């Protein structure tokens, strides 16, 4: 059994939703991630699109049951003392695949070991084990304190609603529909006058349409400031729904840069520079408006990148005129305008 201790913590994380190029949708999920030795455990599991069982959108009773399960206050849900550590972000069905581990106590300590990819009740460590990850030994006091805080009202507030401000109601209505489809609530308004502070606290971001004037924007910002509500402000780059959804997903991300896989994106001189902190799948998509203000979408790149900075060549036809590039991983979205 491992002798060295690892540190244990929790931090808010996000599985970014989005409008996909094939017309489909990817659901937005907020969850609490496990931080082992200062780094998200998820990052050690290759390029995995998954969420922990501590998701913010599950009913409170289920959330509490998940926390108590990790504290070993109830029996393991799977044979062999195994617990689900990360599961499918769309349906959370074990049949879709999940990362599981044996969680046990050793005196005052807690130990996570024998990580595996599992699709039914029994794990095959030889075939599907995550060899080289763990075992992790956590000090009991640190472990209990972190998880127990979630039971005492310290669970992160997802605030998965956005306020859309603008004059182009047709565009905002399409955007609101797309956001609701991926699990993000959206309300449309011309301003925030007369809205109570309690209601404003429910928003995680305010999105200003391209037609919103400076006076309107300033008035909305003052309304949130008076209510004492810190909120992300998003200036819509163009009336392209998938692009606006990407901007909003970026604004809703709450994890610090050091705990994100995708940390940098610039686009100029026919190429895009992308920076990642751990191996992960990255997709690059270009959006542009033609001279008749019609939107066009081009898939630029889809592949796994190793940690570091990477340059991707852009198709000149995809980024001529007013154009933008969206970089996406499972948990992070970045957006940039293309500098010509």
């Amino acid at each position: 059994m491992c002798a060295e201790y690892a540190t244990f913590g929790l931090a808010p994380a996000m599985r970014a939703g989005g409008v996909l190029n094939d017309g489909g949708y990817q659901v937005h999920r907020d969850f609490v991630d496990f931080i082992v030795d200062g780094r998200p455990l998820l990052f050690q599991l290759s390029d995995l699109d998954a969420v922990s069982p501590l998701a913010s959108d599950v009913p409170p009773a289920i959330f509490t049951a998940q926390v108590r399960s990790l504290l070993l206050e109830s029996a393991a849900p799977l044979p062999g003392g195994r617990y689900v550590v990360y599961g499918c972000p769309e349906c959370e069905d074990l049949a879709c695949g999940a990362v599981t581990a044996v969680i046990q106590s050793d005196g005052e300590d807690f130990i996570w070991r024998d990580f595996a990819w599992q699709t039914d009740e029994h794990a095959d460590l030889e075939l599907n084990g995550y060899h080289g990850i763990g075992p992790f030994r956590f000090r009991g006091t640190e472990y209990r304190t972190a998880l127990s805080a979630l039971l005492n009202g310290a669970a992160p507030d997802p605030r998965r609603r956005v306020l859309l401000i603008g004059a182009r109601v047709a565009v905002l209505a399409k955007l609101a529909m797309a956001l609701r489809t991926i699990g993000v609530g959206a309300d449309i308004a011309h301003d925030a006058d007369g809205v109570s502070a309690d209601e404003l606290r429910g928003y995680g971001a305010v999105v200003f349409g391209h037609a919103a004037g400076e006076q309107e924007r300033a008035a909305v910002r003052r309304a949130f400031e008076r209510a004492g509500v810190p909120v992300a402000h998003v200036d819509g780059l163009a009336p392209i729904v998938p692009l606006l959804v990407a901007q909003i997903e970026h604004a809703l991300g709450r994890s610090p840069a050091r705990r994100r896989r995708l940390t940098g994106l610039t686009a100029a001189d026919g190429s895009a520079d992308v920076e990642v902190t751990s191996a992960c799948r990255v997709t690059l998509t270009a959006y542009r408006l033609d001279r008749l203000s019609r939107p066009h979408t081009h898939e630029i790149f889809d592949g796994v990148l190793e940690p570091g900075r990477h340059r991707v060549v852009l198709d000149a036809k995809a980024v001529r005129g007013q154009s933008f590039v969206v970089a996406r991983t499972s948990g992070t979205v970045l957006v940039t305008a293309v500098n010509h």
Side-chain angles (χ1 to χ4, degrees):
M1 198 63 66
C2 55
E4 295 185 3
Y5 283 100
T7 62
F8 180 86
L10 301 169
M14 178 182 78
R15 189 273 191 141
V19 179
L20 305 180
N21 296 334
D22 61 4
Y25 295 89
Q26 182 170 287
V27 175
H28 175 109
R29 299 292 302 278
D30 290 292
F31 64 99
V32 179
D33 201 4
F34 307 111
I35 308 300
V36 178
D37 284 336
R39 189 165 178 260
L41 178 60
L42 189 60
F43 288 13
Q44 299 187 42
L45 301 171
S46 186
D47 179 46
L48 185 66
D49 181 15
V51 299
S52 83
L54 304 178
S56 300
D57 55 351
V58 301
I62 295 178
F63 186 92
T64 298
Q66 295 285 13
V67 174
R68 295 198 181 282
S69 178
L70 293 172
L71 288 167
L72 304 184
E73 294 179 6
S74 58
L78 297 171
R82 303 194 70 84
Y83 294 76
V84 173
V85 179
Y86 294 106
C88 173
E90 297 287 342
C91 66
E92 301 179 84
D93 191 331
L94 184 62
C96 290
V99 177
T100 67
V102 174
I103 300 179
Q104 63 185 92
S105 61
D106 183 19
E108 290 296 311
D109 299 339
F110 286 81
I111 295 171
W112 288 23
R113 62 176 176 83
D114 296 339
F115 289 82
W117 178 254
Q118 195 166 340
T119 56
D120 55 37
E121 285 198 348
H122 299 281
D124 187 335
L125 293 179
E126 288 296 323
L127 183 63
N128 297 316
Y130 282 96
H131 306 292
I133 297 180
F136 300 113
R137 177 183 289 269
F138 304 117
R139 289 182 172 84
T141 300
E142 181 181 56
Y143 185 89
R144 290 190 188 89
T145 298
L147 287 168
S148 296
L150 299 178
L151 301 176
N152 299 326
D157 176 10
R159 290 206 291 164
R160 293 187 303 114
R161 295 190 66 80
V162 298
L163 181 62
L164 310 180
I165 304 290
R168 301 182 65 174
V169 177
V171 174
L172 296 182
K174 291 180 181 178
L175 176 58
M177 183 180 298
L179 289 169
R180 291 165 187 154
T181 301
I182 67 173
V184 177
D187 299 314
I188 301 173
H190 289 290
D191 54 49
D193 292 342
V195 181
S196 68
D198 286 340
E199 191 171 349
L200 292 179
R201 289 190 187 96
Y203 295 109
V206 177
V207 183
F208 297 108
H210 212 56
E214 281 304 319
Q215 289 186 342
E216 295 172 272
R217 298 170 190 242
V220 171
R221 291 189 178 97
R222 285 195 298 270
F224 277 91
E225 289 171 0
R226 286 195 299 269
V229 179
V231 67
H233 298 279
V234 178
D235 293 317
L237 291 172
I240 303 173
V241 170
L243 176 67
L244 294 171
V245 170
Q247 284 191 264
I248 293 167
E249 283 294 301
H250 171 69
L252 292 176
R254 296 168 296 154
S255 60
R258 68 181 183 278
R259 289 181 180 163
R260 298 184 185 186
R261 277 179 162 158
L262 179 61
T263 56
L265 173 67
T266 57
D269 301 325
S271 64
D273 288 335
V274 183
E275 189 167 359
V276 296
T277 59
S278 65
C280 59
R281 179 189 176 195
V282 178
T283 62
L284 292 181
T285 306
Y287 298 94
R288 70 178 182 87
L289 292 174
D290 63 19
R291 293 181 180 179
L292 298 178
S293 296
R294 295 174 300 191
H296 298 267
T297 303
H298 299 269
E299 295 184 13
I300 301 296
F301 176 82
D302 186 346
V304 176
L305 297 179
E306 295 298 319
R309 193 172 184 86
H310 304 267
R311 178 156 293 180
V312 178
V313 176
L314 299 176
D315 184 342
K317 295 180 181 179
V319 294
R320 66 177 182 267
Q322 185 184 16
S323 53
F324 312 89
V325 173
V326 173
R328 177 184 294 275
T329 67
S330 61
T332 313
V333 180
L334 293 180
V335 181
T336 187
V338 178
N339 293 320
H340 295 285

